[in-house]
Amino acid sequence: MATPNGVPPTSESNRIQIIDENKTFTHDLNGAIKEWGLLDSGFNYDLVAIFGSQSTGKSTLLNRLFGTTFDVMNETERRQTTKGIWMCGAKNMPLMVMDVEGTDGRERGEDQDFERKSALFSLASTEVLLVNMWEHQVGLYHGANMALLKTVFEVNLQLFGKRDATSPRTLLLFVIRDHVGATPLSNLRATLIADLSKIWDSIAKPEGLDHAKLDDYFDMSFVALAHKILRPDQFEEDVLKLRERFFDRSREDYVFKPVYHKRIPADGVAHYMEGIWEQVQSNKDLDLPTQQELLAQFRCDEIAAGALEEFNIQARSFRKPVEGGRIVEELGRTMSTWKQSALTRFDTAASRYHKGVYTRKRADLLAQLNTTLSPLFLGQLKNLHRSALTTFKKDLVDGVRTGGDYDFGTIVQDAGKKAEEFFESGAREAAGLAPLGIKEEEGEEKQPIDAEWSYTDEFEQLKHEMQLVADQCRKDETKKMVNSIEKTFIRQIAEPVEVALSKAKSDMWDTVLKAFRENLEQCEATYLSKAKSFNCNDEENGVSLYIIKKRAWVALRKRIDELTADPVILTKLRDYFEERFRYDEKGVPRVWKPEDDMDGSFQRARDKTLELVHLYAKIAPKDSSLEFSLPPPPTSLPEDDTEYDVAGSMVVLSETKQMDVNARFRRDADAYYLEAKRSIVSSVSQVPGWAWGLMLILGWNEIMTLIFNPLYAVALCFACGVAYTVIQLGLAGPIMQVSKTVAGEVQRQATAKLREQFAEPVPAPPVARQNSTASVYSSEPGLTRRSTTATVNGYSDADEMEMKPW
Ligand SMILES: Nc1nc2c(ncn2[C@@H]2O[C@H](COP(=O)(O)OP(=O)(O)OP(=O)(O)O)[C@@H](O)[C@H]2O)c(=O)[nH]1
């Protein structure tokens, strides 16, 4: 069954002495309220207190009305049972009930102090004050109740003197006990009202409240209960009827009207009452608004601390991954949820307190929440930044690595767009903003987690760094392109230069430089067409073209150096000389005859050849427009591409080198000359005619003998036939060679035999020195080879060949 205020019914609950006989306030009230199930009921609870003389059945009435468990006096003892102020949760009602120590208490004597304080305390917190009195006390102006009521009125003025329309009122519910019935309740009511008016008039009112009326502060209600002992059934019936007024909201005489509520949230009741009691105890002026503000501050702090504690635990769980460089998925949504739940928790409990304090404390809490979340947001931005930059770099590298005819500008643009989108969408999510490209419906605009959070700086930084990376990549790629162009140039220039230099003509350098220029122009065109896609600026293009030009020239010079190296140029000179000295104009080899002008030919060929050395010595085109020159180096030229001495590079062979080449060539030419000379001598060294005549005269007899002796004649004819056949078959040479070899072998064999016969005994070889000396003797007789400086490791600095005499 639900209670009238919708709060779950409570079971039988324990009472608690909130102020003991020593006037000390308890610390356990909050726990008790929690135990009664009312701590979270906000304003959905009521508070009632009962006042009255001692032992007038107050506790008995409360227990019957609300199911509380206050102590009831044993009828036989007749002594005070309630000391101080007790409180208990009502059964099945969201109600806290206070049982206040009876006035005119016998034990307390004339001490009116506690009465006043308890009245102040009760008026400050309760909605309804039950004033319990015996019927026979009504009309007794000087009775204890009247004194009590006077006190109540006085302290009420103190508390709520200056009031406005919103100021709370209090219901004074007079419960007249042991109503016999002789005097109707209406009469009793009139008597009481008259007495109360008298009391009200009699009290000293603060300044400005002279005309204040009792009705301005209090509503009054009267109820009579039958005698409990004499008419127990009626008593029970009356109690049940009275109970209905506390329970049934639909009744017109329902006691807990909202206007009576003191607007203290249930979870602040304990602290509020303690504060009130402290003020009352120390006899300080009880300023309820200040008390309520103090309470609000205290409670708002407490509630905020509770909300923050849970929030911090949640936030801490994400700190490590974010600090560790991880991009946390849906961080913004999660942070929003944490923040919202902390605020909801705070709002739910704290909004019931003083509005000004609540608003202030909410702003404080919000700042604290944002301060806690801010490092996570910034950390996430950093991680997004790092990741976006890495992706950008990777995309650039992958894009250019694919090779082929890629467009660098497009690669940079695509990679940049992707990285920026990645960062911005992540950053917006982290800030709690709507994703990119999604239009927020009007009225449903997504609120950022903190309006002051911004990702713009980080975004700008990222864009700047991406630009740097792109620039660096472009420089690297440009370098690679320049290197590749240089390689192509080297490949292409090699052959034309070789062909041109092999034909040592006077326009040789023009041919070389023309080929150079054509290839260079081609390279420059290739660079410029590629550079367009690189978005290179004019300055960068200037640097690259300068480098290409310079490297092309260096490559050409290197090739020229290769083709004019000593052995190569000497070969060229020899070939050139030979062509002119050993061959005639038709290219037929010359056979020098004594009558030929060999010396003249030699000199001409040699001088012509020596002229070539001058030709090769310097790159000097006939057409001066072909001359190479480098523009002034650009200011932003990299350090590794230092200046180059173009003028100096025109010299191919230095003076010294030329002299050296000349000398070496002259020696070669002289050798050719001598060889040619020898060939003339050998062609003219024949047997003179007179020798032939002498030989004929002296050998006439032998000739005749040969001719006229048939045997000799046949042998001669045979020999002539063989010789003729051999010559015809071209076997003369091989036969001569075989004969020479046979003769040589015979001679060698004979020599060996003779050596064996006449050779002296060979002395015994010296004892081999341990591992340090190695002697090798030739197996050939008579020839020994001795190592004179053999070393430990077997190498010999000088070997000496020695011929043994035989
Ligand atoms: N005549 C009469 N006696 C009652 C009535 N209600 C309670 N009593 C008796 O009065 C005595 C005191 O009752 P309590 O309920 O303890 O009275 P109290 O006002 O709470 O007493 P203190 O807390 O000591 O001030 C008990 O013996 C009750 O039985 C009543 O309506 N009429």
Side-chain angles (χ1 to χ4, degrees):
M1 189 179 80
T3 58
N5 287 332
V7 173
T10 53
S11 58
E12 181 119 336
S13 53
N14 293 321
R15 65 196 184 281
I16 179 172
Q17 188 178 27
I18 57 172
I19 295 165
D20 64 15
E21 46 271 53
N22 299 320
K23 302 178 188 172
T24 310
F25 198 89
T26 180
H27 295 299
D28 302 327
L29 180 56
N30 222 35
I33 294 174
K34 191 175 181 188
E35 193 187 309
W36 302 329
L38 296 174
L39 195 66
D40 297 324
S41 58
F43 296 125
N44 294 329
Y45 76 98
D46 298 298
L47 226 163
V48 63
I50 192 160
F51 271 76
S53 306
Q54 186 192 322
S55 305
T56 48
K58 299 188 294 296
S59 305
T60 306
L61 176 64
L62 294 178
N63 289 349
R64 294 285 163 94
L65 279 175
F66 309 119
T68 49
T69 54
F70 294 115
D71 277 345
V72 174
M73 190 185 89
N74 188 324
E75 296 199 14
T76 55
E77 289 179 6
R78 301 300 299 178
R79 54 182 285 274
Q80 188 183 25
T81 51
T82 306
K83 290 180 179 172
I85 299 176
W86 288 75
M87 194 186 252
C88 189
K91 191 176 181 183
N92 298 334
M93 283 176 82
L95 176 67
M96 288 180 248
V97 186
M98 282 200 314
D99 189 1
V100 183
E101 180 180 314
T103 51
D104 67 2
R106 192 184 54 186
E107 281 82 351
R108 210 174 275 282
E110 293 305 309
D111 181 8
Q112 296 300 306
D113 182 55
F114 182 76
E115 183 182 299
R116 187 178 178 81
K117 285 175 177 169
S118 60
L120 250 177
F121 176 74
S122 302
L123 276 171
S125 48
T126 57
E127 300 158 66
V128 177
L129 268 186
L130 295 176
V131 183
N132 195 50
M133 57 176 62
W134 300 120
E135 185 187 5
H136 61 79
Q137 285 181 312
V138 177
L140 295 177
Y141 181 73
H142 295 293
N145 282 318
M146 292 304 114
L148 166 70
L149 286 167
K150 191 180 177 196
T151 309
V152 168
F153 293 163
E154 281 170 355
V155 298
N156 189 71
L157 273 179
Q158 183 188 330
L159 279 178
F160 307 110
K162 283 178 186 162
R163 51 173 291 119
D164 56 29
T166 58
S167 299
R169 298 165 65 83
T170 305
L171 176 66
L172 291 178
L173 180 55
F174 290 89
V175 185
I176 300 162
R177 311 290 291 269
D178 285 359
H179 182 229
V180 187
T183 314
L185 180 61
S186 53
N187 291 1
L188 294 170
R189 183 174 180 272
T191 309
L192 275 171
I193 288 177
D195 289 349
L196 292 173
S197 298
K198 273 186 207 165
I199 295 168
W200 179 257
D201 294 340
S202 70
I203 60 171
K205 298 180 186 71
E207 211 179 304
L209 295 173
D210 303 333
H211 302 294
K213 292 177 190 163
L214 182 61
D215 296 355
D216 295 341
Y217 300 93
F218 293 102
D219 285 335
M220 278 175 283
S221 188
F222 302 87
V223 67
L225 299 179
H227 198 292
K228 180 177 176 285
I229 313 291
L230 301 178
R231 296 174 65 196
D233 293 343
Q234 187 58 44
F235 174 79
E236 293 300 333
E237 199 179 313
D238 289 348
V239 168
L240 277 177
K241 267 189 201 162
L242 179 61
R243 178 182 156 81
E244 286 300 304
R245 291 186 62 187
F246 288 92
F247 192 77
D248 189 355
R249 284 170 158 265
S250 61
R251 285 175 67 116
E252 207 177 314
D253 56 357
Y254 177 63
V255 295
F256 295 124
K257 295 206 166 66
V259 71
Y260 305 143
H261 207 290
K262 297 297 182 287
R263 310 303 293 170
I264 308 298
D267 55 1
V269 165
H271 187 76
Y272 176 76
M273 283 183 164
E274 192 175 356
I276 296 280
W277 185 250
E278 205 180 292
Q279 289 293 104
V280 170
Q281 260 296 81
S282 55
N283 288 317
K284 287 180 188 162
D285 281 347
L286 189 57
D287 178 11
L288 282 190
T290 306
Q291 283 304 311
Q292 286 189 353
E293 213 170 306
L294 288 173
L295 170 72
Q297 282 179 12
F298 175 80
R299 280 298 298 148
C300 285
D301 284 344
E302 249 186 10
I303 296 162
L308 259 179
E309 192 184 346
E310 189 187 316
F311 172 83
N312 284 336
I313 291 169
Q314 291 168 326
R316 213 172 297 138
S317 66
F318 273 38
R319 201 174 295 157
K320 258 195 179 167
V322 170
E323 283 173 0
R326 243 184 62 199
I327 296 171
V328 178
E329 289 292 318
E330 298 200 315
L331 179 70
R333 194 187 61 76
T334 316
M335 289 196 298
S336 269
T337 311
W338 295 338
K339 186 178 168 181
Q340 211 43 55
S341 87
L343 283 177
T344 308
R345 186 175 161 175
F346 178 79
D347 289 342
T348 308
S351 60
R352 298 179 186 127
Y353 291 92
H354 188 275
K355 281 284 164 274
V357 175
Y358 157 69
T359 314
R360 218 169 49 241
K361 294 288 174 188
R362 191 180 197 276
D364 291 349
L365 174 66
L366 209 56
Q368 277 183 301
L369 295 178
N370 289 341
T371 307
T372 309
L373 292 179
S374 184
L376 293 180
F377 170 70
L378 293 175
Q380 181 88 334
L381 286 191
K382 285 258 171 295
N383 298 340
L384 285 166
H385 178 146
R386 201 177 306 124
S387 178
L389 196 62
T390 310
T391 312
F392 177 73
K393 282 182 191 167
K394 188 177 174 302
D395 286 353
L396 278 196
V397 172
D398 288 351
V400 297
R401 196 182 284 159
T402 48
D405 202 11
Y406 62 82
D407 185 331
F408 184 78
T410 313
I411 290 172
V412 172
Q413 202 178 7
D414 291 351
K417 196 170 166 218
K418 184 177 153 193
E420 282 177 19
E421 275 177 12
F422 170 78
F423 176 85
E424 200 174 5
S425 61
R428 287 182 72 83
E429 198 284 325
L433 295 167
L436 271 180
I438 294 182
K439 282 197 175 174
E440 288 153 2
E441 294 296 321
E442 215 167 301
E444 281 182 25
E445 201 169 317
K446 219 176 163 190
Q447 287 298 316
I449 296 172
D450 183 349
E452 287 181 10
W453 287 0
S454 163
Y455 61 85
T456 320
D457 288 350
E458 194 76 39
F459 198 22
E460 289 306 315
Q461 180 68 21
L462 171 67
K463 283 180 186 169
H464 175 67
E465 285 176 23
M466 287 200 303
Q467 188 57 49
L468 291 180
V469 170
D471 285 349
Q472 188 54 49
C473 187
R474 193 179 65 221
K475 276 180 193 157
D476 293 346
E477 284 305 298
T478 311
K479 252 187 202 170
K480 269 196 229 164
M481 185 172 69
V482 169
N483 289 344
S484 152
I485 288 173
E486 183 188 356
K487 273 184 198 159
T488 312
F489 178 85
I490 292 170
R491 213 172 38 247
Q492 286 175 345
I493 201 72
E495 205 175 321
V497 174
E498 187 172 359
V499 172
L501 291 189
S502 65
K503 293 172 196 157
K505 291 182 184 167
S506 57
D507 63 347
M508 175 182 80
W509 291 118
D510 293 67
T511 316
V512 169
L513 290 175
K514 247 184 226 165
F516 171 79
R517 181 174 283 186
E518 279 165 17
N519 278 290
L520 180 61
E521 280 171 4
Q522 207 175 323
C523 289
E524 285 173 344
T526 309
Y527 169 80
L528 286 173
S529 74
K530 262 274 185 199
K532 262 187 207 162
S533 81
F534 279 34
N535 294 335
C536 291
N537 55 34
D538 288 349
E539 192 188 346
E540 286 168 333
N541 284 341
V543 171
S544 298
L545 288 174
Y546 177 86
I547 293 171
I548 288 174
K549 204 167 198 172
K550 196 187 89 179
R551 290 198 193 167
W553 181 254
V554 172
L556 174 73
R557 278 298 286 112
K558 200 175 164 201
R559 185 65 185 143
I560 292 172
D561 282 344
E562 282 167 11
L563 295 169
T564 54
D566 284 5
V568 185
I569 198 152
L570 278 172
T571 309
K572 278 191 209 306
L573 295 177
R574 271 199 300 269
D575 290 351
Y576 190 84
F577 173 78
E578 270 187 74
E579 240 172 67
R580 273 145 194 81
F581 182 60
R582 295 175 75 172
Y583 296 88
D584 61 15
E585 292 73 27
K586 292 172 191 162
V588 180
R590 280 191 173 128
V591 179
W592 295 106
K593 296 179 196 121
E595 62 272 17
D596 289 342
D597 178 17
M598 195 182 82
D599 289 0
S601 296
F602 170 74
Q603 275 172 13
R604 277 192 301 279
R606 188 191 60 194
D607 294 346
K608 265 265 186 239
T609 307
L610 285 174
E611 280 172 21
L612 287 190
V613 179
H614 292 291
L615 181 66
Y616 281 109
K618 195 171 179 204
I619 303 172
K622 283 181 163 179
D623 181 358
S624 59
S625 68
L626 289 171
E627 275 174 12
F628 176 78
S629 64
L630 261 182
T635 45
S636 52
L637 190 70
E639 278 180 15
D640 52 343
D641 276 299
T642 46
E643 279 186 47
Y644 185 76
D645 176 17
V646 178
S649 71
M650 295 298 167
V651 177
V652 180
L653 302 173
S654 64
E655 290 292 328
T656 329
K657 189 91 179 165
Q658 286 180 50
M659 282 161 61
D660 179 47
V661 170
N662 278 348
R664 286 165 75 178
F665 166 69
R666 276 173 192 279
R667 277 201 295 276
D668 288 352
D670 290 351
Y672 281 120
Y673 176 79
L674 287 175
E675 191 187 334
K677 255 307 188 217
R678 265 201 300 273
S679 74
I680 298 177
V681 173
S682 63
S683 66
V684 296
S685 58
Q686 296 168 19
V687 181
W690 58 267
W692 287 109
L694 189 64
M695 277 169 64
L696 189 66
I697 294 165
L698 291 174
W700 182 255
N701 288 338
E702 282 75 16
I703 293 167
M704 288 300 122
T705 307
L706 275 174
I707 293 168
F708 294 107
N709 186 323
L711 187 64
Y712 288 148
V714 171
L716 187 65
C717 287
F718 180 72
C720 287
V722 169
Y724 179 76
T725 311
V726 166
I727 288 163
Q728 284 300 310
L729 294 175
L731 293 172
I735 288 172
M736 284 295 286
Q737 192 61 42
V738 169
S739 309
K740 265 187 194 170
T741 310
V742 170
E745 183 59 26
V746 169
Q747 187 193 4
R748 199 182 64 76
Q749 290 287 340
T751 307
K753 288 283 175 205
L754 287 169
R755 273 186 187 157
E756 271 174 31
Q757 284 296 316
F758 299 105
E760 283 177 16
V762 178
V767 178
R769 273 173 283 169
Q770 196 178 8
N771 289 337
S772 61
T773 306
S775 299
V776 180
Y777 293 88
S778 169
S779 59
E780 207 171 324
L783 177 69
T784 59
R785 183 178 181 190
R786 194 175 67 217
S787 174
T788 54
T789 54
T791 59
V792 173
N793 56 15
Y795 288 104
S796 148
D797 292 337
D799 284 352
E800 190 181 308
M801 299 294 290
E802 192 179 330
M803 290 295 291
K804 280 279 170 197
W806 52 277

